[in-house]
Amino acid sequence: MANKFIKTVKNVRRGISFSKKLKHRLFSVVILFIALLLSCAFLVWWQEKNFNGSYFDSLWSVMFTLIGQGEFASSPHTFWGRVIVFLISVFGVALFGVVFAEVIQRIINSKLKEIVGDILGMNSCKFEGHVIICGWNGRGIYLIKELTASGRQISLIASNRPDNLNPDIFFIQGNPSERESLIRAGVQKAKAAIILGDPEFGDDDSHTILTALAIETISHDVYTVMELHNPDNERYAKYAHVDDILYTDSLIADITAMCTHNEGISAFIRDILSTADEGHSFASFDVPEKFAGKKIREMFADYHNAGKLPIAIITPPENNKNASASEWVSEVSPEAEKIIKLPMKIVCIVKDNYAE
């Protein structure tokens, strides 16, 4: 048994050597190998068995001959049977080695390329309706935590893979302002993109604005949210058709001041701003057509009965119904008798992971 195994291994090694020469002709080698098996099986059925039994029994005998086992492999009864054993033992095993080695080599190369590509961020994202995070900073890890808790698929573009990155996050190593990186991140099928201020590119906002412009040129349907440091740069972000703009530094300062003036409110803020704590969070919904022309109190009552706590509405400016979402006006606790005019969004407090 050991000698037969060694013989098989040697023939496979011979096949590997041949495969280097024939790797561009694999299809031809497969056809030749199959033709050899089928023709030899017919000769065995004819010369050795005189058409007794079935053709498939003869094919089975030939296949066992290929690995040096079976009664026919050790003691053929006719001259043609010995010729067949010789052909199978030499050419058949060699051809099998070529096919086997080449197929295994391609499988290994493909899998290895995929694994290495995932690690180095060289592959392309296959997600649809996902969120792309462009750039990386200290807030990125919390952002991923919140998005993951809400069930979103995420791809991340950054110059280096962050430490301890969730393996479910599709990582692309590159510059988020470059077209190639955005396409590999699946921007054409993404639902939203979050552009973080990456310290590697400085804090003058120029890189985030370039990233927004790059996204807009590829897919203007992607909802973009941008971090800005300097409010004076907002007009440039609007040129890039950014949908939402956040001033992270001022937002943190506002929350800190609020906590200082209102003791204990920090617990509420932590709950309401997080979707990963099994508490409550803000959510906005497009107001359906059925509420057009009705009063705010009717809509609020309907949402309250559905388990949501309505607190505000968001509407476009009166003189520009097509304004981007960043230009819409928020109205907290609107007048109950106000008539609803669409388009409009309603802001509610809902339980985390709320399902409509």
Side-chain angles (χ1 to χ4, degrees):
M1 180 66 70
N3 290 335
K4 291 178 180 178
F5 177 75
I6 293 171
K7 177 182 176 183
T8 302
V9 172
K10 286 182 178 180
N11 284 324
V12 170
R13 290 180 63 186
R14 185 189 309 167
I16 293 174
S17 177
F18 287 166
S19 70
K20 293 179 181 178
K21 301 176 182 177
L22 299 173
K23 62 181 180 180
H24 299 300
R25 302 175 184 174
L26 179 62
F27 180 74
S28 300
V29 174
V30 171
I31 295 299
L32 181 60
F33 176 65
I34 293 174
L36 179 64
L37 287 182
L38 296 178
S39 59
C40 286
F42 179 79
L43 288 173
V44 169
W45 190 34
W46 173 28
Q47 294 294 321
E48 289 286 316
K49 299 184 178 182
N50 196 26
F51 297 118
N52 292 322
S54 69
Y55 171 78
F56 292 102
D57 289 336
S58 299
L59 181 61
W60 187 256
S61 298
V62 169
M63 291 177 67
F64 265 84
T65 303
L66 189 66
I67 58 176
Q69 295 185 6
E71 180 182 351
F72 175 66
S74 58
S75 57
H77 301 112
T78 66
F79 169 76
W80 282 108
R82 295 184 181 91
V83 171
I84 293 168
V85 170
F86 174 78
L87 291 174
I88 293 296
S89 300
V90 178
F91 297 102
V93 172
L95 290 173
F96 174 73
V98 171
V99 175
F100 178 79
E102 187 62 29
V103 169
I104 292 299
Q105 187 177 38
R106 293 189 182 192
I107 291 174
I108 291 175
N109 287 345
S110 175
K111 192 63 179 177
L112 184 62
K113 182 179 179 181
E114 180 181 346
I115 293 172
V116 172
D118 284 342
I119 294 173
L120 299 181
M122 298 168 60
N123 291 337
S124 295
C125 181
K126 301 297 190 299
F127 295 157
E128 293 186 18
H130 58 294
V131 177
I132 303 175
I133 299 177
C134 302
W136 188 256
N137 57 32
R139 292 175 291 280
I141 193 69
Y142 303 104
L143 180 60
I144 284 178
K145 179 182 177 182
E146 294 296 324
L147 290 172
T148 302
S150 66
R152 293 294 185 89
Q153 290 182 305
I154 306 166
S155 61
L156 166 66
I157 309 174
S159 54
N160 295 295
R161 186 184 185 92
D163 295 334
N164 302 318
L165 183 66
N166 187 325
D168 293 331
I169 308 303
F170 195 96
F171 173 67
I172 298 92
Q173 185 174 39
N175 185 337
S177 67
E178 293 179 352
R179 179 183 178 86
E180 180 185 354
S181 298
L182 289 168
I183 290 176
R184 285 199 288 123
V187 69
Q188 291 144 311
K189 296 182 178 180
K191 182 174 183 179
I194 301 172
I195 308 171
L196 296 179
D198 195 328
E200 183 173 338
F201 298 100
D203 57 359
D204 61 356
D205 295 328
S206 59
H207 185 262
T208 54
I209 293 171
L210 285 174
T211 300
L213 284 168
I215 294 172
E216 174 67 18
T217 58
I218 300 173
S219 179
H220 61 271
D221 293 330
V222 175
Y223 190 89
T224 49
V225 181
M226 174 190 288
E227 273 190 348
L228 279 182
H229 293 286
N230 187 351
D232 293 338
N233 292 326
E234 182 174 335
R235 63 182 185 276
Y236 302 116
K238 290 181 177 179
Y239 293 153
H241 300 286
V242 173
D243 295 292
D244 262 325
I245 300 171
L246 294 176
Y247 300 100
T248 310
D249 296 336
S250 62
L251 181 61
I252 293 173
D254 291 342
I255 293 174
T256 304
M258 187 183 302
C259 293
T260 304
H261 298 313
N262 302 276
E263 294 181 6
I265 201 173
S266 60
F268 169 76
I269 292 174
R270 283 196 302 269
D271 177 21
I272 211 70
L273 294 182
S274 174
T275 58
D277 59 1
E278 299 183 355
H280 298 77
S281 58
F282 287 119
S284 67
F285 306 93
D286 290 321
V287 175
E289 289 282 348
K290 67 179 183 178
F291 290 113
K294 293 186 177 181
K295 296 179 180 181
I296 290 291
R297 61 177 173 79
E298 296 178 85
M299 179 177 68
F300 272 33
D302 189 88
Y303 274 81
H304 191 275
N305 292 335
K308 306 169 187 176
L309 179 60
I311 58 173
I313 58 172
I314 309 175
T315 55
E318 286 291 336
N319 58 349
N320 186 6
K321 296 296 183 181
N322 297 318
S324 65
S326 61
E327 298 177 284
W328 283 34
V329 180
S330 170
E331 186 177 351
V332 179
S333 188
E335 293 181 11
E337 300 302 313
K338 183 175 181 176
I339 302 299
I340 296 171
K341 297 179 181 179
L342 302 182
M344 177 186 288
K345 290 180 179 291
I346 182 171
V347 179
C348 303
I349 296 178
V350 300
K351 289 182 178 293
D352 291 338
N353 301 319
Y354 180 92
E356 287 193 270

